């Protein structure tokens, strides 16, 4: 236990006695580490952080502050800095329930990461050497292995007392290939929750080889054409378009304020009938897995779209209060320095019944977006622009030459309506998602999708 229940109860009572309608205390301690190899040299850093955040509701108004000191006096001082903005209402005193909801804290929190640094340093150096030795065109490799192990204790004025532990790691690799005056880049990542000390060397090796393949493929690629034509968006990280252009618009962070194009569209058809989509926090091992959200609610699988019809939003406590929708265990925050809000977890378009080969045969001329990179989205409209890291032209139902420099330009709602076929091979890919509650680990995903027409930006 990070703080005694009695201390939390007194702070909550103080908040309510000063007029707050709701009080929540989020206490957190976190270990983090980073091992990085660049230019064949390794560096390792680690850190420990702890603190507590206090959140108050006055009707639908939210106030939030935090402190780095985990003692009752510091929490009361932080609380009083919030309540100073409001007039006290001394008749609102309540007590934290005598028998609060308690979730078991299953594992002892480690004092430090139990890592064989020399073994992992040798492993990264081996990956680096293998990539360079396998092709004389590989000029640079970078590897980053990030670990986070945090535990949280949440108490609120409705009697909840919750404990949780969230350990995860993220591996990122980039390879640069050069030939004469050409330089190309390949990137891959692997993210998992669970034991942050376990290293699946074969999985990381495959990711490294994949990054090298993309870089070498782009050295031979020709500039992509521009225009409007069919596009097949590949499985895995291709789901970033749905995540960014649609997923954020289904969070009550934007829905409750009517900032989203999806606001007020429940039970309306917003996509092709072959499209079903979920936000699922319960997929163990995936980078967006959580047992409980950052308000202490049990994670669940939320159906967002069913056969083209919008069925649910992702709802946190304040969002539920503003909209009357049921909470979905979707409240998340980067750490105690941020107030929580509705966020995605493992968000994906579900598998369909088509094969990738069938989709390719259906396209006379188009683009296979094999790997997507970064991009930008206007959340209020769903307009997006994403880079294609690696791709192929499709001609007369067959993959043709590799192309580079393509970008996909479209609108989330419009793209959903133009999905004609959904593949059978669902794959998830890790990443970090940023919003008003900071950066959180998530996965995006989908099977291959055939979109009947997209605007493709290209250099040719």
């Amino acid at each position: 236990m990070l703080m005694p229940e009695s201390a939390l109860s007194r702070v909550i009572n103080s908040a309510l006695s000063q007029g707050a309608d709701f009080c929540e205390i989020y206490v957190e301690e976190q270990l983090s580490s980073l091992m990085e190899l660049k230019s064949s040299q390794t560096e390792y850093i680690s850190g420990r952080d702890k603190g507590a955040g206090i959140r108050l509701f006055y009707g639908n108004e939210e106030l939030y502050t935090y402190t780095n000191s985990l003692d009752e006096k510091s929490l009361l001082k932080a609380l009083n800095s919030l309540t100073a903005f409001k007039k006290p209402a001394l008749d609102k005193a309540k007590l934290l329930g005598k028998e609060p909801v308690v979730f078991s804290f299953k594992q002892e929190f480690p004092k430090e990461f139990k890592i064989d640094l020399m073994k992992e340093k040798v492993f990264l150096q081996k990956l680096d050497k293998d990539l360079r030795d396998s092709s004389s065109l590989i000029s640079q490799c970078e590897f980053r292995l990030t670990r986070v192990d945090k535990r949280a204790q949440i108490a609120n004025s409705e009697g909840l007392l919750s404990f949780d532990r969230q350990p995860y790691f993220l591996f990122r690799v980039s390879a640069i290939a050069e030939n004469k005056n050409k330089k190309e880049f390949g990137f891959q990542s692997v993210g998992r929750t669970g034991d942050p000390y376990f290293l699946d060397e074969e999985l990381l090796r495959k990711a490294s080889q994949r990054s090298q393949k993309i870089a070498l493929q782009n050295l031979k690629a020709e500039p992509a054409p521009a225009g409007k034509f069919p596009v097949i968006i590949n499985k895995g990280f291709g789901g970033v378009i749905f995540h960014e252009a649609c997923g954020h618009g289904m969070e009550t962070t934007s829905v409750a304020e009517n900032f989203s194009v999806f606001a007020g569209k429940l039970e309306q058809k917003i996509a092709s009938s072959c499209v079903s989509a979920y936000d699922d926090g319960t997929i163990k091992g995936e980078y967006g897995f959580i047992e409980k959200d950052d308000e202490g609610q049990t994670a669940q699988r939320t159906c967002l779209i069913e056969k083209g019809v919008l069925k649910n939003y992702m709802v946190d406590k304040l969002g539920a209060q503003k909209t009357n929708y049921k909470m979905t265990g979707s409240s998340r925050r980067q750490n105690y320095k941020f107030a929580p809000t509705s966020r995605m977890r493992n968000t994906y378009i579900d598998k369909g019944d088509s094969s990738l080969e069938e989709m390719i045969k259906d396209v006379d001329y188009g683009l296979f977006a094999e790997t997507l990179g970064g991009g930008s989205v206007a959340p209020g409209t769903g307009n997006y622009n994403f880079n294609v890291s690696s791709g192929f032209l499709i001609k007369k139902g067959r993959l043709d030459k590799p192309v580079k420099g393509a970008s996909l330009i479209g609108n989330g709602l419009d793209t959903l309506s133009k999905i004609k076929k959904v593949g059978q091979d669902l794959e998830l890919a890790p990443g970090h998602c940023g919003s008003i509650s900071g950066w959180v680990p998530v996965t995006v995903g989908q099977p291959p999708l055939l979109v009947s027409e997209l605007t493709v930006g290209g250099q040719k």
Side-chain angles (χ1 to χ4, degrees):
M1 185 173 291
L2 296 173
M3 288 194 66
E5 179 184 340
S6 57
L8 296 174
S9 180
R10 285 190 290 268
V11 175
I12 290 173
N13 287 336
S14 179
L16 298 177
S17 70
Q18 296 181 66
D21 296 311
F22 172 80
C23 176
E24 173 195 82
I25 302 174
Y26 177 86
V27 189
E28 179 189 83
E29 187 173 18
Q30 179 173 294
L31 291 172
S32 60
S33 75
L34 168 65
M35 179 173 285
E36 183 176 42
L37 185 148
K38 185 176 181 180
S39 299
S40 301
Q41 301 296 316
T42 55
E43 292 185 3
Y44 177 80
I45 58 175
S46 63
R48 191 182 195 97
D49 190 19
K50 63 180 180 179
I54 299 178
R55 184 166 63 143
L56 304 180
F57 289 175
Y58 291 86
N60 286 338
E61 182 181 3
E62 179 186 55
L63 299 180
Y64 191 79
T65 191
Y66 66 90
T67 174
N68 296 110
S69 301
L70 298 186
D71 60 78
E72 184 176 345
K73 182 179 179 180
S74 297
L75 261 64
L76 286 171
K77 182 179 179 180
L79 170 66
N80 291 334
S81 72
L82 290 182
T83 57
F85 291 100
K86 296 292 182 179
K87 293 181 180 180
L90 298 177
D91 60 340
K92 285 199 172 186
K94 300 178 183 177
L95 293 175
L96 186 67
K98 292 182 179 179
E99 296 181 359
V101 178
V102 177
F103 298 92
S104 60
F105 183 48
K106 298 180 180 178
Q107 299 177 339
E108 290 296 324
F109 196 59
K111 299 299 181 184
E112 59 185 11
F113 280 114
K114 302 173 183 177
I115 303 169
D116 188 336
L117 294 178
M118 182 54 66
K119 178 182 177 182
E120 296 198 354
K121 177 180 177 180
V122 170
F123 173 66
L124 293 185
Q125 289 174 334
K126 180 69 164 54
L127 289 181
D128 180 65
K129 184 177 185 300
D130 288 347
L131 289 191
R132 293 174 186 271
D133 288 349
S134 62
S135 173
S136 60
L137 299 178
I138 298 297
S139 62
Q140 181 63 274
C141 303
E142 295 184 15
F143 305 85
R144 292 171 62 91
L145 183 57
T146 305
R147 289 180 170 88
V148 174
D149 197 353
K150 74 174 183 178
R151 60 174 175 167
Q153 180 181 5
I154 307 170
N156 69 31
S157 53
E158 296 176 344
L160 179 139
L161 183 62
S162 172
F163 299 92
D164 190 27
R165 184 182 181 189
Q166 297 179 5
Y168 52 90
F169 76 89
L170 181 69
F171 173 76
R172 291 183 171 182
V173 53
S174 61
I176 297 175
E178 292 187 61
N179 187 16
K180 298 179 181 178
N181 60 342
K182 289 184 178 181
K183 181 184 291 187
E184 297 295 341
F185 173 86
F187 173 83
Q188 288 285 285
S189 61
V190 174
R192 304 292 293 172
T193 55
D195 185 354
Y197 311 102
F198 174 71
L199 210 61
D200 188 334
E201 295 186 0
E202 184 59 28
L203 188 63
L204 305 193
R205 188 174 290 107
K206 287 181 179 179
S208 301
Q209 293 167 348
R210 176 64 184 149
S211 70
Q212 179 203 51
K213 180 181 176 182
I214 293 172
L216 293 174
Q217 176 179 304
N218 284 337
L219 275 183
K220 300 181 292 183
E222 296 184 5
K228 292 185 177 182
F229 35 77
V231 174
I232 297 174
I233 306 174
N234 201 15
K235 63 183 179 180
F237 199 70
V240 70
I241 291 181
F242 179 77
H243 172 103
E244 294 288 357
C246 303
H248 282 295
M250 297 176 185
E251 298 165 339
T252 48
T253 309
S254 56
V255 171
E257 308 302 329
N258 208 32
F259 292 154
S260 169
V261 294
F262 297 100
K265 287 187 168 63
L266 283 182
E267 299 302 331
Q268 294 183 26
K269 189 167 184 178
I270 62 167
S272 297
S273 298
C274 60
V275 175
S276 294
Y278 295 86
D279 181 71
D280 188 353
T282 68
I283 309 175
K284 289 189 175 182
E286 293 297 341
Y287 202 49
F289 166 72
I290 55 174
E291 289 193 0
K292 293 179 288 294
D293 72 3
D294 288 332
E295 291 178 330
Q297 302 298 312
T298 301
Q300 65 183 54
R301 184 175 189 250
T302 304
C303 178
L304 301 175
I305 301 173
E306 183 178 30
K307 296 181 179 179
V309 177
L310 181 63
K311 304 300 290 187
N312 290 289
Y313 300 117
M314 289 163 278
V315 188
D316 64 322
K317 182 173 181 59
L318 186 58
Q321 187 169 296
K322 290 180 177 180
T323 63
N324 291 321
Y325 299 135
K326 291 183 179 180
M327 296 168 65
T328 57
S330 305
S331 183
R332 306 187 69 191
R333 62 179 107 198
Q334 180 176 329
N335 54 40
Y336 65 89
K337 298 177 182 178
F338 295 85
T341 192
S342 55
R343 301 291 298 275
M344 286 174 275
R345 300 158 297 182
N346 302 301
T347 311
Y348 59 92
I349 294 176
D350 203 10
K351 61 185 177 181
D353 55 12
S354 298
S355 69
L356 177 59
E357 291 74 18
E358 291 170 353
M359 296 182 199
I360 294 173
K361 287 180 180 178
D362 283 349
V363 177
D364 184 60
Y365 182 86
L367 175 71
F368 175 49
E370 182 185 36
T371 309
L372 291 192
S376 60
V377 175
T381 62
N383 293 332
Y384 64 81
N385 186 322
F386 277 90
N387 299 322
V388 178
S389 301
S390 65
F392 289 85
L393 279 181
I394 304 174
K395 289 185 178 180
K396 296 182 179 180
R398 299 182 65 180
L399 289 184
D400 195 59
K401 55 194 172 187
V403 292
K404 62 182 179 181
S407 60
L408 304 182
I409 304 164
N411 173 273
L413 267 174
D414 182 60
T415 301
L416 286 176
S417 70
K418 291 180 178 178
I419 296 174
K420 298 307 178 185
K421 287 191 175 182
V422 178
Q424 302 165 334
D425 189 9
L426 171 64
E427 183 177 291
L428 301 180
H432 280 93
C433 173
S435 185
I436 59 174
S437 61
W439 292 88
V440 297
V442 299
T443 65
V444 302
Q446 64 179 40
L449 305 176
L450 172 58
V451 184
S452 61
E453 183 182 80
L454 268 181
T455 298
V456 177
Q459 300 171 346
K460 186 175 180 180

